[in-house]
Amino acid sequence: MSAKNNAINKPVAVSADLETIVGKGPLPRGEVTAKVWDYIKKHDLQAADDRRMIEPDDKLGKVIGSEKISMFKMTAAVSKHLG
């Protein structure tokens, strides 16, 4: 299977809540992840005491929940918003 056909590069639908962060879909999963991280860094949403923990603002909270979450669980939460 070539890299172009692999799941991370295949454009997928993006939920309305996630679109407010990453822009209009469909987008490849890898690009969605990169844009979510750009948003986290731009808005300084990593916990000061542990950079692996994300403290979502209201907009990101609609996608991953309002509680502090590890970056590993965040990826799974974001994937629920991809179609």
Side-chain angles (χ1 to χ4, degrees):
M1 188 182 271
S2 77
K4 274 196 181 297
N5 292 333
N6 99 21
I8 205 148
N9 293 321
K10 181 176 172 247
V12 292
V14 178
S15 75
D17 285 335
L18 187 54
E19 273 187 355
T20 65
I21 294 167
V22 301
K24 198 91 173 120
L27 294 166
R29 289 177 182 271
E31 191 173 328
V32 169
T33 302
K35 288 183 176 208
V36 169
W37 273 107
D38 289 345
Y39 180 87
I40 289 167
K41 290 173 183 162
K42 181 179 178 185
H43 297 278
D44 196 27
L45 302 179
Q46 287 174 278
D49 60 331
D50 184 350
R51 305 295 282 169
R52 294 171 299 180
M53 297 301 289
I54 309 305
E55 297 174 325
D57 60 8
D58 290 342
K59 195 186 270 192
L60 187 58
K62 289 180 179 167
V63 176
I64 66 171
S66 58
E67 300 296 312
K68 188 190 269 193
I69 188 172
S70 81
M71 61 182 173
F72 306 109
K73 289 184 178 172
M74 180 201 69
T75 305
V78 167
S79 70
K80 292 176 185 169
H81 288 263
L82 302 175

